[in-house]
Amino acid sequence: MSERGDIAVIGAGAAGLMAAIAAGRAAMEAGSRLRILALDGAKSLGAKILVAGGGRCNVTHYHVDERAYAGSSRNSIRNVLGRFDVQRTVAFFNEIGVEFKQEDTGKLFPTTDRARTVLDALLSEARRVGVELWHPWRVASVWPHNAGFKIQREDSEACNDIRSLIARRVIIAAGGKALPKSGSDGQGYSLAKSLGHTMTARIFPALVPLTTPDGHFLRELSGVSVPAEVIVRDAGGKVLVSFTNSVLFTHFGLSGPAILDASRYLADARHADPGASLVLNFAPGMPVADLDRAIVSAKGPGIARWLAESLVFRADVPGHTNRGLPERLSRALCEHSSVDPATPIQSLTRVQRTSIVGEVCSLVVPITGDRGFTHAEVTAGGVPLSEVRLDSMESRVSPGAHLCGEICDVDGRIGGFNFQWAWSSGYVAGSAAARSLIAGT
Ligand SMILES: Cc1cc2nc3c(=O)[nH]c(=O)nc-3n(C[C@H](O)[C@H](O)[C@H](O)COP(=O)(O)OP(=O)(O)OC[C@H]3O[C@@H](n4cnc5c(N)ncnc54)[C@H](O)[C@@H]3O)c2cc1C
């Protein structure tokens, strides 16, 4: 025997919870009774919400627009974001008891600084509007059945004895492949494919730390964080994209927000052209000629000390001053350009000066790869938005099915943009699914 429901949401992460809540609210407002089930393979819900933002959950950003995203066309992304924008998102969370504070970076965090506040509020709102949360209940397959869908559970530990479910509408919110131990391991793609969807040609980690070769001198600086401009260049040296923010040196290579933001663009550029490169500029906003002039006119200390104490660049990166490089970095850059860090600044030869300026402003860092989905915050690629109707996130190839969240070919920058995509697309999918049932279509 199969259990019956009206709307089955597969995946109760950020997008799935929002979709289920939006559906529940739409039904309540219309005075309709809809049975809404949110199914998730995880024993405990909301793993990614809890780890997000270092356990504080960066729920959104005060200014979200489509330029912060990659993947499907920016017009399509804007269309969906506009249907449940930051203002409505903030109002929604305020209503369910989550207040925000805005950081200098524009990121919005709960005032409690606890991701748990966000997850608990979503779960209690889901229950309030009548959503049944089934977990663990991992979906193995879904297929069209009569005028709806049949959903089969995997033969694994489950919260009940029910093995299959028939629902009039299904919402696939099973995420991508980032952080697979959270339960988002790419199974959602198989479910979408079985309903006739295609995937982008490539599905790859985004917002992911990068690796450098063993023995690369920057690995020695593990733990040092600096403000920098991270530039992705094509093989001909053309700047494809750049991000100015913190860079963190680690024992395996590079991390920090500027690196994470650049990672998917580097992967994309290298896929098209293996000669594409990653360049670091430790004097962001400072023209090369200005640095050169500043060194020429400086007097006194050794070059490494001068870089550590007197270099002043223009870009402001929250959490950092724009004066001086970390001492360990300035020494390492000198040594890497074969200049004794103690060389008095006025004794530098022109060749030495040019070499130092090159190291500071455009250090090409060999990248061997990335840390993979296990360490990625999000997935690049997925179901193209051209396969869904943007006003309802309903599938164009399998009417009655909706998709939302990271399963779609949309990935955003660091800063709350990925959750905003989950909230917006989840809201659109959930409210449209409910309304269509209420309207009897
Ligand atoms: C470490 C880390 C930190 C992050 N920090 C931030 C941040 O601060 N701000 C931000 O905007 N974004 C952040 N992100 C990204 C953000 O978490 C994701 O964009 C967002 O969670 C995607 O939501 P989703 O609901 O689409 O997918 P997910 O959150 O991945 O949820 C999918 C759900 O589907 C379930 N599922 C999968 N397959 C099945 C199946 N077959 N049957 C049943 N259930 C299934 C999974 O168990 C999971 O619960 C972070 C990500 C990581 C990994």
Side-chain angles (χ1 to χ4, degrees):
M1 266 298 278
S2 289
E3 192 89 356
R4 285 181 182 273
D6 294 302
I7 300 176
V9 183
I10 303 178
L17 284 174
M18 178 57 95
I21 291 169
R25 284 184 164 199
M28 266 184 144
E29 277 159 26
S32 275
R33 286 175 70 91
L34 291 181
R35 186 172 188 205
I36 301 160
L37 300 117
L39 319 169
D40 201 293
K43 246 185 184 170
S44 331
L45 293 178
K48 278 197 197 169
I49 293 174
L50 292 178
V51 297
R56 296 194 304 138
C57 193
N58 173 199
V59 172
T60 185
H61 192 276
Y62 91 100
H63 179 75
V64 172
D65 75 38
E66 67 281 6
R67 284 169 298 178
Y69 296 86
S72 292
S73 89
R74 288 196 167 150
N75 276 348
S76 319
I77 296 170
R78 182 181 57 219
N79 186 316
V80 179
L81 292 171
R83 292 171 190 278
F84 192 73
D85 59 12
V86 175
Q87 236 180 332
R88 289 185 71 186
T89 303
V90 168
F92 165 83
F93 277 102
N94 291 167
E95 266 169 48
I96 63 171
V98 182
E99 299 293 331
F100 294 113
K101 58 179 175 187
Q102 184 180 319
E103 300 210 325
D104 292 350
T105 52
K107 296 176 179 180
L108 268 63
F109 288 91
T111 49
T112 58
D113 274 332
R114 291 180 69 235
R116 173 62 65 186
T117 311
V118 176
L119 178 61
D120 286 351
L122 286 168
L123 292 176
S124 71
E125 179 64 2
R127 291 189 185 103
R128 186 188 73 82
V129 299
V131 174
E132 292 174 45
L133 297 164
W134 288 8
H135 64 96
W137 209 93
R138 192 169 157 87
V139 174
S141 51
V142 54
W143 65 94
H145 176 84
N146 296 333
F149 297 88
K150 188 158 182 181
I151 296 159
Q152 189 76 36
R153 135 165 109 69
E154 263 186 13
D155 199 10
S156 53
E157 186 188 352
C159 61
N160 56 33
D161 293 334
I162 299 160
R163 305 197 67 88
S164 65
L165 179 67
I166 292 170
R168 294 198 284 157
R169 294 247 159 187
V170 68
I171 298 176
I172 304 185
K177 293 177 91 169
L179 199 68
K181 69 175 183 198
S182 68
S184 309
D185 55 2
Q187 167 82 344
Y189 301 136
S190 313
L191 301 178
K193 275 187 194 161
S194 70
L195 294 180
H197 281 284
T198 64
M199 298 294 138
T200 51
R202 291 172 59 239
I203 289 183
F204 58 100
L207 299 185
V208 64
L210 302 175
T211 54
T212 52
D214 280 346
H216 188 268
F217 80 102
L218 290 178
R219 284 196 183 191
E220 299 296 315
L221 304 177
S222 181
V224 173
S225 165
V226 285
E229 181 186 13
V230 176
I231 305 154
V232 177
R233 283 194 191 149
D234 72 10
K238 186 175 151 216
V239 174
L240 299 175
V241 69
S242 82
F243 297 93
T244 299
N245 209 329
S246 297
V247 167
L248 174 68
F249 302 116
T250 73
H251 63 284
F252 56 77
L254 301 172
S255 189
I259 293 293
L260 300 186
D261 276 335
S263 60
R264 63 106 60 228
Y265 295 95
L266 181 69
D268 239 6
R270 286 184 147 193
H271 181 73
D273 174 357
S277 59
L278 186 100
V279 177
L280 300 182
N281 172 9
F282 299 112
M286 182 178 205
V288 171
D290 287 7
L291 175 59
D292 194 63
R293 257 196 306 275
I295 295 178
V296 169
S297 54
K299 304 235 167 353
I303 175 64
R305 226 177 96 201
W306 185 86
L307 288 172
E309 289 174 1
S310 305
L311 170 69
V312 180
F313 47 86
R314 275 196 213 134
D316 284 320
V317 174
H320 294 277
T321 66
N322 56 356
R323 188 180 194 97
L325 302 183
E327 178 113 27
R328 282 170 68 197
L329 174 63
S330 63
R331 291 183 67 82
L333 292 176
C334 292
E335 281 159 9
H336 190 243
S337 53
S338 306
V339 174
D340 179 350
T343 310
I345 196 158
Q346 60 272 43
S347 323
L348 288 175
T349 64
R350 176 198 279 258
V351 171
Q352 286 176 319
R353 200 176 69 237
T354 308
S355 170
I356 298 269
V357 168
E359 294 279 307
V360 172
C361 294
S362 51
L363 179 71
V364 179
V365 183
I367 299 297
T368 48
D370 63 49
R371 299 261 281 161
F373 282 113
T374 316
H375 298 275
E377 289 199 8
V378 73
T379 311
V383 178
L385 287 187
S386 54
E387 295 186 4
V388 296
R389 295 178 197 283
L390 302 175
D391 58 351
S392 59
M393 297 304 287
E394 184 174 2
S395 166
R396 290 181 187 276
V397 295
S398 183
H402 301 249
L403 295 105
C404 56
E406 195 173 318
I407 193 169
C408 301
D409 175 27
V410 177
D411 58 286
R413 285 178 50 185
I414 287 277
F417 300 98
N418 286 299
F419 274 137
Q420 186 57 52
W421 171 253
W423 313 134
S424 299
S425 59
Y427 175 85
V428 172
S431 48
R435 286 207 189 99
S436 64
L437 292 181
I438 295 161
T441 56

